């Protein structure tokens, strides 16, 4: 094996230790590894491995600014427990857009931390905080959140948004940011080839832009 692409663990209790355990076997045999999407440590910390992904803070910022432009006054963020570090960066970008627009932002009042199908937690949050826009860590979570809001009959007046632009985003008219998959694959492949040829290069972080996809939801 000349090189390995690795997407770190998520949704496990200690994702950093779990990912390090996997990587230790490649390190033992000095096999170069390129991380895809996010690092094995929380942002803004960095490990010693090359990383290729999208600029998640910029993506969150663009979605937040879009929601502000559409008239949102209370933007909130759905953060699933154990989600990848990229989700925290997306949250940071949305929060930055809210703050620069003069909208209030606190962890307690603007961050819903639960699974999107947790009806009790979702109902309590939207009843107390009364958001008019909720951004989820990805499109699939946004779709599940919409199902929950519809079941609770609390979906009226709440605009939803997500990330990645998977098929469900178009189906539900979700505003999202598109993952440039072909470009990511090309850059990741070239970066790993360079790492194989020059193993002593310092660790590199390469972040691509994720274009905003504006939709009516």
């Amino acid at each position: 094996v000349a090189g390995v692409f690795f997407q770190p663990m998520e949704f496990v209790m200690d994702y950093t230790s779990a990912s390090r355990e996997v990587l230790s076997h490649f390190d033992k045999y000095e096999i170069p590894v390129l991380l895809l999407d996010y690092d094995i440590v929380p942002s803004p910390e960095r490990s010693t491995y090359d990383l290729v992904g999208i600029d998640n803070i910029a993506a969150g910022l663009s979605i937040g600014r879009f929601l502000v432009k559409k008239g949102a006054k209370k933007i909130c963020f759905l953060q699933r427990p154990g989600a990848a570090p990229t989700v925290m960066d997306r949250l940071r970008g949305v929060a930055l857009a809210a703050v620069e627009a003069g909208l209030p932002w606190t962890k307690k009042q603007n961050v819903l931390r639960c699974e999107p199908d947790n009806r009790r937690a979702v109902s309590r949050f939207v009843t107390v905080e009364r958001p008019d826009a909720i951004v989820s860590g990805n499109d699939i979570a946004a779709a599940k959140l919409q199902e929950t809001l519809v079941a609770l009959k609390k979906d009226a007046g709440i605009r939803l948004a997500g990330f990645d632009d998977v098929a469900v985003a178009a189906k539900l008219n979700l505003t999202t940011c598109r993952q440039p998959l072909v470009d990511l694959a090309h850059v990741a492949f070239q970066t790993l080839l360079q790492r194989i040829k020059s193993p002593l290069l310092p660790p590199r972080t390469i972040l691509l832009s994720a274009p905003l996809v504006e939709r009516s939801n």
Side-chain angles (χ1 to χ4, degrees):
V1 177
V4 172
F5 298 101
F6 179 63
Q7 182 172 16
M9 307 291 186
E10 63 176 329
F11 300 119
V12 295
M13 186 170 293
D14 189 349
Y15 60 82
T16 297
S17 295
S19 295
R20 287 191 188 280
E21 174 65 22
V22 174
L23 291 169
S24 67
H25 298 287
F26 299 119
D27 292 343
K28 180 179 178 181
Y29 295 100
E30 298 183 347
I31 297 174
V33 175
L34 183 138
L35 303 181
L36 294 171
D37 199 19
Y38 50 89
D39 207 336
I40 62 172
V41 293
S43 176
E45 297 178 43
R46 274 292 278 121
S47 68
T48 58
Y49 304 95
D50 292 332
L51 168 65
V52 172
I54 65 168
D55 189 335
N56 289 284
I57 294 179
L61 180 63
S62 65
I63 285 183
R65 285 175 171 170
F66 170 79
L67 294 172
V68 169
K69 184 177 70 174
K70 290 297 181 179
K73 301 299 182 185
K74 180 68 178 290
I75 303 173
C76 294
F77 193 97
L78 171 67
Q79 180 186 20
R80 296 177 63 193
T86 49
V87 174
M88 180 57 70
D89 282 342
R90 294 171 179 183
L91 187 159
R92 291 184 177 113
V94 173
L96 178 58
V99 171
E100 73 176 14
L103 302 180
W105 186 279
T106 66
K107 183 177 180 179
K108 179 180 179 181
Q109 296 179 330
N110 296 81
V111 180
L112 169 59
R113 195 169 188 273
C114 69
E115 293 296 336
D117 58 356
N118 186 332
R119 293 191 180 187
R120 183 176 180 181
V122 171
S123 178
R124 181 171 60 248
F125 185 85
V126 299
T127 299
V128 173
E129 302 302 340
R130 303 177 67 84
D132 53 15
I134 301 178
V135 183
S136 296
N138 57 51
D139 296 329
I140 294 175
K144 291 182 179 179
L145 177 61
Q146 185 179 64
E147 291 179 4
T148 301
L149 291 171
V150 170
L152 294 169
K153 297 182 179 180
K154 293 181 179 291
D155 57 311
I158 301 179
R159 182 188 293 268
L160 300 181
F163 295 84
D164 300 336
D165 196 28
V166 298
V168 71
K171 181 179 179 180
L172 298 178
N173 283 323
L174 295 174
T175 291
T176 184
C177 281
R178 178 173 296 137
Q179 290 267 6
L181 300 179
V182 174
D183 291 340
L184 284 168
H186 178 76
V187 171
F189 184 71
Q190 295 299 324
T191 304
L192 184 56
L193 285 181
Q194 190 176 19
R195 172 60 59 188
I196 293 170
K197 294 177 181 177
S198 305
L200 298 181
L201 285 172
R204 294 161 295 173
T205 301
I206 303 175
L207 302 179
L208 278 61
S209 298
L212 180 68
V213 181
E214 300 182 9
R215 295 194 175 102
S216 60
N217 185 309

